Amino acid sequence: MFCVQCEHTIRTPVATGCSYAMGMCGKTGEVSDLQDVLIYLLQGVSAYAVAARRFGLVDRAIDAWSCQAFFATLTNVNFDAERILAFIGEAQQARAKLKEGYEAACLAQGQQPEAMTGPAAVELTGEKAALLSWAPTAAVNRGKEQVSEDILGLRMLCLYGLKGAAAYMEHARVLGEQDDAIGAEYHEIMAWLGQDPADMNELIACAMRIGQMNFKVMALLDKGETDTFGHPSPVQVNIKPVKGQAILVSGHDLHDLQKILEQTVGTGIRVYTHGEMLPAHAYPELNKYPHLVGHYGTAWQNQQKEFAAFPGAIVMTSNCIINPDVGQYRDRIFTRSIVGWPGVCHIEGDDFATVIAKAQSLAGFPHDEIPAYTSTGFARNALMAAAPAVIDQVKAGHIRHFFLIGGCDGDKSERSYYTDMARAVPEDCLILTLACGKFRFHSFDYGDINGIPRYLDVGQCNDAYSAIQLAIALADAFGCGVNDLPLSLVLSWFEQKAIVILLTLLSLGIKGIRVGPTVPGFLTPNLLAFLQENFDLKLIGSVEQDLADMLAA
Amino acid sequence: MNPLEHPHWHAGSRQLTCVAKQAETWQGDTLTAATLVLQDLASPCRFAFLPGQYLLIGTELAGKPVQRAYSISSSPAQTDRLAITVKRVAGGRLSNYLLDALQPGMTLSAQPPQGHFHLPATLPDQVVLLSGGSGISPMLSMTRALLASDYAGTVHFIHSAKRREEVIALAWLLDTAARHRQLRLSLQLSEPASELPGLPGRLSAETLAALLPDLQGVEFFLCGSDRYLAGVRALLAHPRYAGLPVHQEAFDLGAQPQDPTPQAQGHRITVPAFDKVVALQGDEPLLAALEREGLPIIGACRTGVCGSCKCRVLAGEVHSQSSLPLSPEEQAQGYVLACASRAASDLTLALN
């Protein structure tokens, strides 16, 4: 295996990347290699999707499926070799179907079909052993003998960024939002990456294009969420359990949460959110269910202890899942959609009866704990509604600076930086946050500035879209550019959604972003220097120094 | 390489075939050092090790099993084969057998690469490799790894030998030093050869100080005979070097019998959370036994670097070869790396 896509990847004195029998995430070499084969075939699917589109042939089912399959290879999503094998089979079928349509269209118009090469042309059997022996050809660092580390790094930056965007496309599609123009752009980029491009400028342009495309994807997802569930409004969420049987819903998929809430009405089961599902409480169409009682647990990397102590059923709707055998709750955890763990019950369709029956067979929480609260729901509309008051407070000198401290969490001790930073932010400054990194500092009481809360949870990682909208509105109000605002971005990354959000911010021209806890393993010193020079990208340093620098900027 | 057909070797012994034997040094007509390239031809595997680690090699001589440790001299980038470099030792039965009798095509039994003498996860600005005689082997592996990586620091390769003819891998060293400015090669010979790089004469306090004018970010790596090591440690006792990290390997490992199964035999691991009692086999690391029982533990690098297999000792004693990725707090709480720890008593473990 060779995998370097997440922040946790092995770094030894001589090499970076998980390249032994198992990754740091617990993904076996076998699953990793099969995922490489799948991604390679997806590039072939995209090549034919691009060709077919030249004749106006758009297969929305295959477009949607492509993003699902790609999402399955994201960090901490699918560890099940059988599921990846099934995706590989489907990929070959999808490619054959597009090819047939394309060649028929060529024939009808008297054209010669284009001769396809690489991922579009490769013929593979469905045999696992054969696929594995072929896997090195599809490795993400293929061609390392021919091109420089910088080119390989850029290819991976693009591939991982596009993977993050594909995940958001799938989140949007679940809510009924699919955009053919974005689909076309996805396929163009995916097909191009399948040709192993080696021009540095073209690859950098591609990374920016992925960032811009993802801005549109996040807008689409925002539309899907707000059209379906209403505009979030700020709420207090109980982070302590209440008495009764329980289901815990983790991940990003609000649609699944809604179905579970609908199907548990009147059962007495209490539903809790976990991790990135926290912002769900702010959506009116979800918040209206009284049995959505609270939020349980903290960041994903603590799940093996927290799920072990959860006396109910657990549903993983997207990333992140980690080995359920450590905490011995395999029999009461369920996977959805693209998520998979060998031997764990996978729920197809929208019927959650199995999950409900499991929750009913379990004891649930024996008593109410004394409530404690966190807040969420400061998304686009709420922020815009508050913007005039915020602007007044800035003009009056009561708000000095905005800090956006967000991103994904992980278990490295260096990540205490983000807690320390949030705690150290001066009292005349606001903290905006999003994604799961906030669980390191969400439970403190930050107080308010003349009625404006100092801690504003914008939502999930994709709600970076709301934060960008706020920044644009503030810049308009102050008659300046976004980079001239008293706003500093301090991001933490773990997986590929964070990579694509970073690309989006960079492609929007936002400069001076601080990222940590470490440099992505696929970014070479040259690439890092490029990002530092062109985007003033900074690595996190000491809290005191960084804070002083940001306030002085 | 197909990982299904060619698994990563991390546990159990293997029969390695000598696929090439390359003479390194001669004394008259006697071969005094050779590099043996080893491969598992019967059941191909991938080798993974950290530069500096060793292999336990064994065979039967006159009806009795003999086993010795030999540092790996090849680069970890080469995963389908590895090389050890063997030097003639007075009375060294296995070493002399390897030099005199072993021919390509013959096999040896081997245990997976191990050892705590290797490059650290965070590389210092200056790596100072000090070796004597056949202590050069792990230094060759480290140098190959460093030069092949994007390491931007300086590698001081300071090797001591009696005379030019006794320097293992001399041609490779001279050629590599000529091509890589970051490699500073110094050969300290008792019988100086003026055309070789380095200051004349044996390694002394003055030569070492002259070779290392700047001690910023220096870490020392020492390998050689006990006598050599004692000499270098005496030089490093100078206040000038106070506080600088020193890693060392006694190469006499190669000359002295090493008992592959110390007290560990028969120890058991109790894992209360899973209601399991696991019997350890021989001197295997804890990870091997836990995996055999199907307990959920991630073993990613298996060389004490990545930290994925950390677990907590609730009762009992272990000997750990690495605790690199563990914080002082974790170590105080009893966390160890299952891949780099062996039982010194019966143990009770928590996996997370």
Side-chain angles (χ1 to χ4, degrees), chain B residues 35-38 47 49-53 55 71-79 81-85 136-145:
Chain B
T35 294
L36 309 178
V37 181
L38 305 173
F47 298 107
F49 60 93
L50 291 171
Q53 290 190 307
L55 276 185
S71 292
I72 300 166
S73 54
S74 54
S75 162
Q78 177 122 44
T79 58
R81 58 188 63 196
L82 44 71
I84 55 171
T85 301
I136 198 171
S137 291
M139 309 316 197
L140 294 172
S141 182
M142 290 184 186
T143 304
R144 289 183 167 117

PDB file of all heavy atoms in Angstrom, chain B residues 35-38 47 49-53 55 71-79 81-85 136-145:
ATOM      1  N   THR B  35      29.589  -8.876   1.722  1.00  0.00           N
ATOM      2  CA  THR B  35      28.190  -8.487   1.830  1.00  0.00           C
ATOM      3  C   THR B  35      27.340  -9.609   1.245  1.00  0.00           C
ATOM      4  O   THR B  35      27.623 -10.092   0.141  1.00  0.00           O
ATOM      5  CB  THR B  35      27.948  -7.165   1.084  1.00  0.00           C
ATOM      6  OG1 THR B  35      28.671  -6.139   1.767  1.00  0.00           O
ATOM      7  CG2 THR B  35      26.465  -6.798   1.060  1.00  0.00           C
ATOM      8  N   LEU B  36      26.353 -10.033   2.017  1.00  0.00           N
ATOM      9  CA  LEU B  36      25.456 -11.101   1.575  1.00  0.00           C
ATOM     10  C   LEU B  36      24.094 -10.493   1.277  1.00  0.00           C
ATOM     11  O   LEU B  36      23.519  -9.802   2.113  1.00  0.00           O
ATOM     12  CB  LEU B  36      25.296 -12.159   2.668  1.00  0.00           C
ATOM     13  CG  LEU B  36      26.587 -12.729   3.266  1.00  0.00           C
ATOM     14  CD1 LEU B  36      26.252 -13.725   4.377  1.00  0.00           C
ATOM     15  CD2 LEU B  36      27.429 -13.405   2.178  1.00  0.00           C
ATOM     16  N   VAL B  37      23.616 -10.750   0.074  1.00  0.00           N
ATOM     17  CA  VAL B  37      22.270 -10.276  -0.287  1.00  0.00           C
ATOM     18  C   VAL B  37      21.306 -11.430  -0.058  1.00  0.00           C
ATOM     19  O   VAL B  37      21.519 -12.533  -0.552  1.00  0.00           O
ATOM     20  CB  VAL B  37      22.225  -9.807  -1.753  1.00  0.00           C
ATOM     21  CG1 VAL B  37      20.827  -9.300  -2.111  1.00  0.00           C
ATOM     22  CG2 VAL B  37      23.273  -8.727  -1.987  1.00  0.00           C
ATOM     23  N   LEU B  38      20.252 -11.156   0.719  1.00  0.00           N
ATOM     24  CA  LEU B  38      19.338 -12.219   1.138  1.00  0.00           C
ATOM     25  C   LEU B  38      17.931 -11.947   0.623  1.00  0.00           C
ATOM     26  O   LEU B  38      17.467 -10.815   0.588  1.00  0.00           O
ATOM     27  CB  LEU B  38      19.305 -12.301   2.669  1.00  0.00           C
ATOM     28  CG  LEU B  38      20.653 -12.488   3.360  1.00  0.00           C
ATOM     29  CD1 LEU B  38      20.497 -12.393   4.871  1.00  0.00           C
ATOM     30  CD2 LEU B  38      21.280 -13.817   2.965  1.00  0.00           C
ATOM     31  N   PHE B  47      10.537  -6.666   2.874  1.00  0.00           N
ATOM     32  CA  PHE B  47      11.292  -6.338   4.072  1.00  0.00           C
ATOM     33  C   PHE B  47      11.035  -4.888   4.443  1.00  0.00           C
ATOM     34  O   PHE B  47      11.037  -4.014   3.587  1.00  0.00           O
ATOM     35  CB  PHE B  47      12.789  -6.517   3.833  1.00  0.00           C
ATOM     36  CG  PHE B  47      13.163  -7.938   3.495  1.00  0.00           C
ATOM     37  CD1 PHE B  47      13.518  -8.288   2.208  1.00  0.00           C
ATOM     38  CD2 PHE B  47      13.146  -8.914   4.482  1.00  0.00           C
ATOM     39  CE1 PHE B  47      13.869  -9.597   1.900  1.00  0.00           C
ATOM     40  CE2 PHE B  47      13.501 -10.228   4.182  1.00  0.00           C
ATOM     41  CZ  PHE B  47      13.858 -10.571   2.890  1.00  0.00           C
ATOM     42  N   PHE B  49      12.353  -2.162   7.477  1.00  0.00           N
ATOM     43  CA  PHE B  49      13.179  -1.949   8.656  1.00  0.00           C
ATOM     44  C   PHE B  49      13.600  -0.494   8.692  1.00  0.00           C
ATOM     45  O   PHE B  49      13.479   0.228   7.704  1.00  0.00           O
ATOM     46  CB  PHE B  49      14.411  -2.861   8.629  1.00  0.00           C
ATOM     47  CG  PHE B  49      15.306  -2.639   7.422  1.00  0.00           C
ATOM     48  CD1 PHE B  49      16.371  -1.770   7.489  1.00  0.00           C
ATOM     49  CD2 PHE B  49      15.044  -3.300   6.226  1.00  0.00           C
ATOM     50  CE1 PHE B  49      17.188  -1.553   6.389  1.00  0.00           C
ATOM     51  CE2 PHE B  49      15.856  -3.082   5.119  1.00  0.00           C
ATOM     52  CZ  PHE B  49      16.917  -2.213   5.199  1.00  0.00           C
ATOM     53  N   LEU B  50      14.063  -0.093   9.841  1.00  0.00           N
ATOM     54  CA  LEU B  50      14.597   1.252   9.950  1.00  0.00           C
ATOM     55  C   LEU B  50      16.107   1.150   9.798  1.00  0.00           C
ATOM     56  O   LEU B  50      16.718   0.218  10.318  1.00  0.00           O
ATOM     57  CB  LEU B  50      14.234   1.858  11.296  1.00  0.00           C
ATOM     58  CG  LEU B  50      12.745   2.159  11.432  1.00  0.00           C
ATOM     59  CD1 LEU B  50      12.406   2.545  12.851  1.00  0.00           C
ATOM     60  CD2 LEU B  50      12.370   3.305  10.482  1.00  0.00           C
ATOM     61  N   PRO B  51      16.688   2.098   9.081  1.00  0.00           N
ATOM     62  CA  PRO B  51      18.127   2.015   8.857  1.00  0.00           C
ATOM     63  C   PRO B  51      18.860   2.011  10.193  1.00  0.00           C
ATOM     64  O   PRO B  51      18.684   2.913  10.998  1.00  0.00           O
ATOM     65  CB  PRO B  51      18.436   3.268   8.035  1.00  0.00           C
ATOM     66  CG  PRO B  51      17.228   4.135   8.116  1.00  0.00           C
ATOM     67  CD  PRO B  51      16.074   3.257   8.434  1.00  0.00           C
ATOM     68  N   GLY B  52      19.670   0.963  10.395  1.00  0.00           N
ATOM     69  CA  GLY B  52      20.388   0.793  11.652  1.00  0.00           C
ATOM     70  C   GLY B  52      19.993  -0.499  12.343  1.00  0.00           C
ATOM     71  O   GLY B  52      20.723  -1.014  13.183  1.00  0.00           O
ATOM     72  N   GLN B  53      18.840  -1.057  11.974  1.00  0.00           N
ATOM     73  CA  GLN B  53      18.371  -2.276  12.648  1.00  0.00           C
ATOM     74  C   GLN B  53      19.133  -3.521  12.168  1.00  0.00           C
ATOM     75  O   GLN B  53      19.837  -3.481  11.168  1.00  0.00           O
ATOM     76  CB  GLN B  53      16.871  -2.449  12.422  1.00  0.00           C
ATOM     77  CG  GLN B  53      16.054  -1.404  13.177  1.00  0.00           C
ATOM     78  CD  GLN B  53      14.583  -1.710  13.152  1.00  0.00           C
ATOM     79  OE1 GLN B  53      14.001  -1.905  12.091  1.00  0.00           O
ATOM     80  NE2 GLN B  53      13.953  -1.740  14.318  1.00  0.00           N
ATOM     81  N   LEU B  55      19.336  -8.067  11.821  1.00  0.00           N
ATOM     82  CA  LEU B  55      18.640  -9.337  11.624  1.00  0.00           C
ATOM     83  C   LEU B  55      19.293 -10.365  12.539  1.00  0.00           C
ATOM     84  O   LEU B  55      20.510 -10.361  12.701  1.00  0.00           O
ATOM     85  CB  LEU B  55      18.870  -9.858  10.199  1.00  0.00           C
ATOM     86  CG  LEU B  55      18.042  -9.414   9.030  1.00  0.00           C
ATOM     87  CD1 LEU B  55      18.475 -10.242   7.821  1.00  0.00           C
ATOM     88  CD2 LEU B  55      16.572  -9.602   9.276  1.00  0.00           C
ATOM     89  N   SER B  71      23.899  -6.411  11.517  1.00  0.00           N
ATOM     90  CA  SER B  71      23.252  -5.172  11.080  1.00  0.00           C
ATOM     91  C   SER B  71      22.989  -5.224   9.586  1.00  0.00           C
ATOM     92  O   SER B  71      23.798  -5.748   8.817  1.00  0.00           O
ATOM     93  CB  SER B  71      24.145  -3.968  11.389  1.00  0.00           C
ATOM     94  OG  SER B  71      24.236  -3.799  12.777  1.00  0.00           O
ATOM     95  N   ILE B  72      21.875  -4.651   9.184  1.00  0.00           N
ATOM     96  CA  ILE B  72      21.529  -4.585   7.767  1.00  0.00           C
ATOM     97  C   ILE B  72      22.309  -3.419   7.151  1.00  0.00           C
ATOM     98  O   ILE B  72      22.348  -2.324   7.720  1.00  0.00           O
ATOM     99  CB  ILE B  72      20.015  -4.365   7.601  1.00  0.00           C
ATOM    100  CG1 ILE B  72      19.259  -5.526   8.253  1.00  0.00           C
ATOM    101  CG2 ILE B  72      19.636  -4.220   6.131  1.00  0.00           C
ATOM    102  CD1 ILE B  72      17.774  -5.271   8.449  1.00  0.00           C
ATOM    103  N   SER B  73      22.927  -3.665   6.020  1.00  0.00           N
ATOM    104  CA  SER B  73      23.722  -2.594   5.411  1.00  0.00           C
ATOM    105  C   SER B  73      23.051  -1.993   4.182  1.00  0.00           C
ATOM    106  O   SER B  73      23.494  -0.989   3.653  1.00  0.00           O
ATOM    107  CB  SER B  73      25.123  -3.111   5.045  1.00  0.00           C
ATOM    108  OG  SER B  73      25.009  -4.275   4.242  1.00  0.00           O
ATOM    109  N   SER B  74      21.963  -2.592   3.727  1.00  0.00           N
ATOM    110  CA  SER B  74      21.314  -2.077   2.518  1.00  0.00           C
ATOM    111  C   SER B  74      20.318  -0.976   2.866  1.00  0.00           C
ATOM    112  O   SER B  74      20.042  -0.704   4.027  1.00  0.00           O
ATOM    113  CB  SER B  74      20.609  -3.214   1.783  1.00  0.00           C
ATOM    114  OG  SER B  74      19.723  -3.885   2.650  1.00  0.00           O
ATOM    115  N   SER B  75      19.762  -0.383   1.811  1.00  0.00           N
ATOM    116  CA  SER B  75      18.820   0.717   1.993  1.00  0.00           C
ATOM    117  C   SER B  75      17.423   0.171   2.240  1.00  0.00           C
ATOM    118  O   SER B  75      17.016  -0.798   1.601  1.00  0.00           O
ATOM    119  CB  SER B  75      18.800   1.584   0.732  1.00  0.00           C
ATOM    120  OG  SER B  75      17.634   2.379   0.717  1.00  0.00           O
ATOM    121  N   PRO B  76      16.650   0.815   3.146  1.00  0.00           N
ATOM    122  CA  PRO B  76      15.280   0.349   3.369  1.00  0.00           C
ATOM    123  C   PRO B  76      14.383   0.565   2.141  1.00  0.00           C
ATOM    124  O   PRO B  76      13.291   0.006   2.087  1.00  0.00           O
ATOM    125  CB  PRO B  76      14.802   1.190   4.554  1.00  0.00           C
ATOM    126  CG  PRO B  76      15.735   2.332   4.650  1.00  0.00           C
ATOM    127  CD  PRO B  76      17.027   1.916   4.031  1.00  0.00           C
ATOM    128  N   ALA B  77      14.857   1.341   1.182  1.00  0.00           N
ATOM    129  CA  ALA B  77      14.040   1.558  -0.014  1.00  0.00           C
ATOM    130  C   ALA B  77      13.928   0.274  -0.827  1.00  0.00           C
ATOM    131  O   ALA B  77      12.979   0.076  -1.578  1.00  0.00           O
ATOM    132  CB  ALA B  77      14.643   2.672  -0.866  1.00  0.00           C
ATOM    133  N   GLN B  78      14.927  -0.597  -0.683  1.00  0.00           N
ATOM    134  CA  GLN B  78      14.888  -1.883  -1.381  1.00  0.00           C
ATOM    135  C   GLN B  78      14.101  -2.848  -0.514  1.00  0.00           C
ATOM    136  O   GLN B  78      14.552  -3.231   0.568  1.00  0.00           O
ATOM    137  CB  GLN B  78      16.319  -2.387  -1.544  1.00  0.00           C
ATOM    138  CG  GLN B  78      16.388  -3.740  -2.197  1.00  0.00           C
ATOM    139  CD  GLN B  78      17.225  -3.680  -3.449  1.00  0.00           C
ATOM    140  OE1 GLN B  78      18.279  -3.071  -3.444  1.00  0.00           O
ATOM    141  NE2 GLN B  78      16.749  -4.286  -4.518  1.00  0.00           N
ATOM    142  N   THR B  79      12.900  -3.233  -0.935  1.00  0.00           N
ATOM    143  CA  THR B  79      12.050  -4.018  -0.040  1.00  0.00           C
ATOM    144  C   THR B  79      12.007  -5.500  -0.384  1.00  0.00           C
ATOM    145  O   THR B  79      11.531  -6.301   0.395  1.00  0.00           O
ATOM    146  CB  THR B  79      10.604  -3.479  -0.042  1.00  0.00           C
ATOM    147  OG1 THR B  79      10.113  -3.512  -1.377  1.00  0.00           O
ATOM    148  CG2 THR B  79      10.543  -2.058   0.487  1.00  0.00           C
ATOM    149  N   ARG B  81      14.657  -7.427  -1.059  1.00  0.00           N
ATOM    150  CA  ARG B  81      15.864  -8.123  -0.621  1.00  0.00           C
ATOM    151  C   ARG B  81      16.553  -7.227   0.387  1.00  0.00           C
ATOM    152  O   ARG B  81      16.298  -6.028   0.465  1.00  0.00           O
ATOM    153  CB  ARG B  81      16.790  -8.382  -1.808  1.00  0.00           C
ATOM    154  CG  ARG B  81      17.200  -7.110  -2.541  1.00  0.00           C
ATOM    155  CD  ARG B  81      17.959  -7.392  -3.815  1.00  0.00           C
ATOM    156  NE  ARG B  81      17.127  -8.124  -4.763  1.00  0.00           N
ATOM    157  CZ  ARG B  81      17.599  -8.763  -5.829  1.00  0.00           C
ATOM    158  NH1 ARG B  81      18.896  -8.761  -6.084  1.00  0.00           N
ATOM    159  NH2 ARG B  81      16.793  -9.389  -6.647  1.00  0.00           N
ATOM    160  N   LEU B  82      17.450  -7.810   1.172  1.00  0.00           N
ATOM    161  CA  LEU B  82      18.269  -6.956   2.020  1.00  0.00           C
ATOM    162  C   LEU B  82      19.661  -7.542   2.114  1.00  0.00           C
ATOM    163  O   LEU B  82      19.908  -8.678   1.701  1.00  0.00           O
ATOM    164  CB  LEU B  82      17.623  -6.722   3.382  1.00  0.00           C
ATOM    165  CG  LEU B  82      16.989  -7.861   4.153  1.00  0.00           C
ATOM    166  CD1 LEU B  82      18.056  -8.787   4.665  1.00  0.00           C
ATOM    167  CD2 LEU B  82      16.192  -7.291   5.314  1.00  0.00           C
ATOM    168  N   ALA B  83      20.570  -6.735   2.623  1.00  0.00           N
ATOM    169  CA  ALA B  83      21.960  -7.159   2.665  1.00  0.00           C
ATOM    170  C   ALA B  83      22.517  -6.998   4.071  1.00  0.00           C
ATOM    171  O   ALA B  83      22.170  -6.067   4.786  1.00  0.00           O
ATOM    172  CB  ALA B  83      22.788  -6.336   1.681  1.00  0.00           C
ATOM    173  N   ILE B  84      23.351  -7.966   4.455  1.00  0.00           N
ATOM    174  CA  ILE B  84      24.120  -7.815   5.690  1.00  0.00           C
ATOM    175  C   ILE B  84      25.587  -7.845   5.306  1.00  0.00           C
ATOM    176  O   ILE B  84      25.958  -8.403   4.264  1.00  0.00           O
ATOM    177  CB  ILE B  84      23.820  -8.943   6.704  1.00  0.00           C
ATOM    178  CG1 ILE B  84      24.064 -10.319   6.064  1.00  0.00           C
ATOM    179  CG2 ILE B  84      22.396  -8.846   7.217  1.00  0.00           C
ATOM    180  CD1 ILE B  84      24.002 -11.465   7.056  1.00  0.00           C
ATOM    181  N   THR B  85      26.409  -7.195   6.103  1.00  0.00           N
ATOM    182  CA  THR B  85      27.837  -7.207   5.816  1.00  0.00           C
ATOM    183  C   THR B  85      28.535  -7.889   6.994  1.00  0.00           C
ATOM    184  O   THR B  85      28.325  -7.535   8.144  1.00  0.00           O
ATOM    185  CB  THR B  85      28.351  -5.777   5.591  1.00  0.00           C
ATOM    186  OG1 THR B  85      27.622  -5.230   4.498  1.00  0.00           O
ATOM    187  CG2 THR B  85      29.831  -5.771   5.261  1.00  0.00           C
ATOM    188  N   ILE B 136      30.560  -0.490  10.695  1.00  0.00           N
ATOM    189  CA  ILE B 136      30.204   0.356   9.565  1.00  0.00           C
ATOM    190  C   ILE B 136      28.858  -0.051   8.949  1.00  0.00           C
ATOM    191  O   ILE B 136      28.190   0.760   8.309  1.00  0.00           O
ATOM    192  CB  ILE B 136      31.333   0.291   8.496  1.00  0.00           C
ATOM    193  CG1 ILE B 136      31.239   1.458   7.525  1.00  0.00           C
ATOM    194  CG2 ILE B 136      31.299  -1.038   7.740  1.00  0.00           C
ATOM    195  CD1 ILE B 136      32.457   1.563   6.600  1.00  0.00           C
ATOM    196  N   SER B 137      28.438  -1.321   9.148  1.00  0.00           N
ATOM    197  CA  SER B 137      27.257  -1.828   8.435  1.00  0.00           C
ATOM    198  C   SER B 137      25.999  -0.976   8.622  1.00  0.00           C
ATOM    199  O   SER B 137      25.400  -0.540   7.640  1.00  0.00           O
ATOM    200  CB  SER B 137      26.955  -3.264   8.851  1.00  0.00           C
ATOM    201  OG  SER B 137      27.935  -4.106   8.369  1.00  0.00           O
ATOM    202  N   PRO B 138      25.554  -0.733   9.869  1.00  0.00           N
ATOM    203  CA  PRO B 138      24.326   0.055  10.017  1.00  0.00           C
ATOM    204  C   PRO B 138      24.504   1.478   9.488  1.00  0.00           C
ATOM    205  O   PRO B 138      23.540   2.104   9.043  1.00  0.00           O
ATOM    206  CB  PRO B 138      24.072   0.050  11.530  1.00  0.00           C
ATOM    207  CG  PRO B 138      25.394  -0.258  12.152  1.00  0.00           C
ATOM    208  CD  PRO B 138      26.089  -1.158  11.177  1.00  0.00           C
ATOM    209  N   MET B 139      25.774   1.980   9.537  1.00  0.00           N
ATOM    210  CA  MET B 139      26.023   3.339   9.045  1.00  0.00           C
ATOM    211  C   MET B 139      25.807   3.417   7.536  1.00  0.00           C
ATOM    212  O   MET B 139      25.377   4.437   7.007  1.00  0.00           O
ATOM    213  CB  MET B 139      27.453   3.778   9.380  1.00  0.00           C
ATOM    214  CG  MET B 139      27.856   3.588  10.824  1.00  0.00           C
ATOM    215  SD  MET B 139      26.584   4.119  11.995  1.00  0.00           S
ATOM    216  CE  MET B 139      27.510   4.253  13.496  1.00  0.00           C
ATOM    217  N   LEU B 140      26.131   2.324   6.848  1.00  0.00           N
ATOM    218  CA  LEU B 140      25.919   2.292   5.391  1.00  0.00           C
ATOM    219  C   LEU B 140      24.423   2.385   5.095  1.00  0.00           C
ATOM    220  O   LEU B 140      23.982   3.116   4.212  1.00  0.00           O
ATOM    221  CB  LEU B 140      26.506   1.015   4.798  1.00  0.00           C
ATOM    222  CG  LEU B 140      28.031   0.884   4.874  1.00  0.00           C
ATOM    223  CD1 LEU B 140      28.470  -0.512   4.426  1.00  0.00           C
ATOM    224  CD2 LEU B 140      28.715   1.958   4.018  1.00  0.00           C
ATOM    225  N   SER B 141      23.634   1.627   5.864  1.00  0.00           N
ATOM    226  CA  SER B 141      22.189   1.654   5.656  1.00  0.00           C
ATOM    227  C   SER B 141      21.629   3.039   5.952  1.00  0.00           C
ATOM    228  O   SER B 141      20.826   3.589   5.197  1.00  0.00           O
ATOM    229  CB  SER B 141      21.532   0.598   6.554  1.00  0.00           C
ATOM    230  OG  SER B 141      20.144   0.564   6.342  1.00  0.00           O
ATOM    231  N   MET B 142      22.077   3.629   7.055  1.00  0.00           N
ATOM    232  CA  MET B 142      21.596   4.973   7.426  1.00  0.00           C
ATOM    233  C   MET B 142      21.966   5.985   6.352  1.00  0.00           C
ATOM    234  O   MET B 142      21.159   6.834   5.966  1.00  0.00           O
ATOM    235  CB  MET B 142      22.203   5.405   8.763  1.00  0.00           C
ATOM    236  CG  MET B 142      21.689   4.638   9.970  1.00  0.00           C
ATOM    237  SD  MET B 142      22.412   5.353  11.470  1.00  0.00           S
ATOM    238  CE  MET B 142      21.825   4.215  12.707  1.00  0.00           C
ATOM    239  N   THR B 143      23.212   5.900   5.874  1.00  0.00           N
ATOM    240  CA  THR B 143      23.666   6.869   4.872  1.00  0.00           C
ATOM    241  C   THR B 143      22.875   6.715   3.581  1.00  0.00           C
ATOM    242  O   THR B 143      22.447   7.703   2.977  1.00  0.00           O
ATOM    243  CB  THR B 143      25.170   6.664   4.605  1.00  0.00           C
ATOM    244  OG1 THR B 143      25.854   6.774   5.852  1.00  0.00           O
ATOM    245  CG2 THR B 143      25.712   7.702   3.648  1.00  0.00           C
ATOM    246  N   ARG B 144      22.650   5.481   3.174  1.00  0.00           N
ATOM    247  CA  ARG B 144      21.871   5.251   1.948  1.00  0.00           C
ATOM    248  C   ARG B 144      20.481   5.850   2.102  1.00  0.00           C
ATOM    249  O   ARG B 144      19.953   6.483   1.197  1.00  0.00           O
ATOM    250  CB  ARG B 144      21.776   3.749   1.662  1.00  0.00           C
ATOM    251  CG  ARG B 144      23.104   3.169   1.211  1.00  0.00           C
ATOM    252  CD  ARG B 144      22.998   1.678   0.851  1.00  0.00           C
ATOM    253  NE  ARG B 144      24.207   1.279   0.152  1.00  0.00           N
ATOM    254  CZ  ARG B 144      25.080   0.375   0.593  1.00  0.00           C
ATOM    255  NH1 ARG B 144      24.863  -0.262   1.735  1.00  0.00           N
ATOM    256  NH2 ARG B 144      26.157   0.088  -0.110  1.00  0.00           N
ATOM    257  N   ALA B 145      19.878   5.620   3.281  1.00  0.00           N
ATOM    258  CA  ALA B 145      18.518   6.125   3.509  1.00  0.00           C
ATOM    259  C   ALA B 145      18.497   7.646   3.524  1.00  0.00           C
ATOM    260  O   ALA B 145      17.642   8.281   2.908  1.00  0.00           O
ATOM    261  CB  ALA B 145      17.977   5.563   4.817  1.00  0.00           C
TER     262      ALA B 145
END
